[in-house]
Amino acid sequence: MATDYYAVLGVRRDASQDEIKKAFRRLARELHPDVNPDPKTQERFKEINAAYEVLSDPQKKQVYDLGGDPLSASGGGGAGGFGQGGFGNFSDIMDAFFGTASQRGPRSRTRRGQDAMIRLEIELDEAAFGTTKDIQVDTAIVCTTCSGEGAAPGTSAQTCDMCRGRGEVSQVTRSFLGQVMTSRPCPQCQGFGTVVPTPCPECAGDGRVRSRRTLTVKIPAGVDNGTRIQLAGEGEVGPGGGPAGDLYVEIHELPHPVFQRRGDDLHCTVTIPMTAAALGTKVPLETLDGLEEIDIRPGTQSGQSVPLHGRGVTHLRGGGRGDLIVHVEVMTPSKLDAEQERLLRELAVLRGEERPTGQFQPGQQGLFSRLKDAFNGR
């Protein structure tokens, strides 16, 4: 009794080629010997392979539908083979497991180049307001001698005589499934399908050479450590003169002698004598915007801060700038002369921190002024 190939694949007799292929792939994934080594499963796998060999070929399918034996008529290998000569649907089995049939044909000598990266050091004010820099990069460019072809002037690539331009060679092996054909890149042309008998003397057949060139880079305001600026098409030219990759410029901000950056805010510390903290003063400070006077209010304590809004780094995304935070450090003298000590004791008595001694009278006028003069003259 003839085998019902439609029943083997579980499809209707009027099933389309797409439905037949989907049914075969589904069963192949379930019954392939590498997945299920049971001997009965192997026989079942041979059956679905034979059924697909017939139903996927319009001529064999027509013979089968008319009641003939398509495998005998075509000289096929029966249930043990893979189509005519044993190879008819090997790519479909590969497709069943990997989702797509293996790609055939020679590979191109022209490929996209790699991306490149260069480190660029900039000052704090350049990061805050943006700048333009000239940088030197050492990357691969198209060989001007062969224009990327890889062949010496006056010569050209020739078709590989081993693979006849296919880029691959095939080998037939036998297994319990029948004959299996495997392909691998041609060892003579490395899969390109062509060979270059006389390589370019400048680039040795690679189609590119290394060269140093100068590029102008625009640094936007607000960049920070680790910010990368992408320059499309300025990276390495690919083999065979292929399109260039991208160049990334990574920003590294140099330390500033006065300011420390925290995000888009700047921080610094000013040190004042205790008399200035008590009386109040104005401290000149050279900011990124020029010289400014910091107003220290009377009674300022050590550790307090004075914010200068909008004096920090420009926001990289969006308008405006960060702030400049001025931290105040009050300096306490470590050694006093006799006059300074006497005046400080008078101040302590006035504040009720120490009992009076000798001829001192509380409420003495001008004590703060004398203290200031005494410490400033020290």
Side-chain angles (χ1 to χ4, degrees):
M1 184 175 180
T3 303
D4 186 349
Y5 291 142
Y6 292 100
V8 170
L9 294 182
V11 296
R12 304 185 313 274
R13 297 189 70 86
D14 60 349
S16 65
Q17 284 295 319
D18 186 58
E19 291 174 330
I20 292 173
K21 180 175 288 189
K22 287 182 179 179
F24 168 73
R25 291 176 181 175
R26 175 177 54 79
L27 292 171
R29 284 193 294 266
E30 296 176 0
L31 303 174
H32 194 281
D34 289 343
V35 178
N36 195 335
D38 187 283
K40 293 182 179 179
T41 303
Q42 295 179 20
E43 291 300 323
R44 172 75 172 132
F45 181 76
K46 292 180 181 180
E47 290 179 3
I48 67 166
N49 181 66
Y52 182 69
E53 178 186 345
V54 172
L55 299 182
S56 63
D57 187 318
Q59 294 182 349
K60 294 180 181 179
K61 183 175 182 295
Q62 183 179 18
V63 173
Y64 174 73
D65 289 341
L66 293 175
D69 186 352
L71 296 179
S72 299
S74 62
F82 288 88
Q84 289 189 1
F87 317 122
N89 49 25
F90 179 72
S91 62
D92 288 306
I93 293 181
M94 296 299 292
D95 197 10
F97 280 88
F98 301 105
T100 181
S102 57
Q103 296 186 358
R104 305 284 183 172
R107 60 191 180 102
S108 174
R109 290 184 180 273
T110 302
R111 301 193 301 277
R112 182 184 184 276
Q114 294 182 346
D115 296 336
M117 189 175 71
I118 187 172
R119 172 175 171 164
L120 179 62
E121 294 181 341
I122 63 174
E123 301 289 346
L124 173 60
D125 59 331
E126 294 174 326
F129 303 120
T131 186
T132 300
K133 290 280 190 179
D134 288 335
I135 59 173
Q136 287 190 332
V137 293
D138 186 6
T139 58
I141 63 172
V142 176
C143 176
T144 57
T145 302
C146 66
S147 300
E149 297 294 330
T155 67
S156 60
Q158 298 180 1
T159 301
C160 175
D161 56 8
M162 176 175 287
C163 66
R164 291 180 171 82
R166 292 183 293 111
E168 60 183 12
V169 293
S170 302
Q171 181 180 8
V172 179
T173 58
R174 295 190 62 84
S175 71
F176 64 89
L177 296 175
Q179 291 181 322
V180 177
M181 180 174 66
T182 57
S183 298
R184 59 187 177 90
C186 175
Q188 180 167 293
C189 67
Q190 285 77 51
F192 294 120
T194 58
V195 294
V196 181
T198 310
C200 172
E202 184 68 23
C203 64
D206 192 40
R208 55 183 182 168
V209 293
R210 300 202 70 81
S211 176
R212 178 166 293 181
R213 54 204 172 99
T214 301
L215 298 175
T216 300
V217 184
K218 183 178 180 181
I219 310 298
V223 294
D224 201 351
N225 272 322
T227 300
R228 291 185 179 180
I229 301 171
Q230 181 181 9
L231 301 180
E234 296 293 352
E236 300 277 351
V237 165
D246 298 335
L247 175 66
Y248 291 88
V249 180
E250 185 174 85
I251 299 299
H252 286 262
E253 187 180 293
L254 295 172
H256 193 273
V258 176
F259 303 114
Q260 296 82 45
R261 180 175 177 179
R262 301 175 192 171
D264 289 339
D265 292 336
L266 298 178
H267 295 255
C268 71
T269 300
V270 295
T271 302
I272 60 175
M274 64 179 185
T275 53
L279 298 173
T281 187
K282 291 186 180 294
V283 178
L285 177 65
E286 189 68 37
T287 70
L288 297 183
D289 299 275
L291 184 64
E292 296 196 25
E293 285 192 339
I294 311 302
D295 186 17
I296 306 297
R297 296 182 178 181
T300 297
Q301 302 297 306
S302 187
Q304 288 185 329
S305 60
V306 179
L308 298 181
H309 300 294
R311 295 294 189 271
V313 177
T314 304
H315 299 313
L316 181 60
R317 295 176 178 83
R321 295 170 57 183
D323 299 331
L324 170 59
I325 312 299
V326 181
H327 300 272
V328 179
E329 182 180 86
V330 178
M331 178 178 60
T332 302
S334 58
K335 186 176 181 181
L336 302 174
D337 58 27
E339 178 65 12
Q340 291 170 344
E341 183 177 356
R342 183 182 67 80
L343 291 172
L344 282 178
R345 290 190 181 279
E346 290 183 20
L347 175 62
V349 170
L350 287 175
R351 292 172 57 88
E353 298 169 357
E354 185 175 314
R355 297 180 62 183
T357 58
Q359 302 298 318
F360 173 72
Q361 297 296 324
Q364 187 174 352
Q365 298 293 324
L367 179 58
F368 270 109
S369 297
R370 296 202 306 277
L371 274 170
K372 186 175 181 180
D373 293 339
F375 280 97
N376 288 343
R378 178 173 179 265

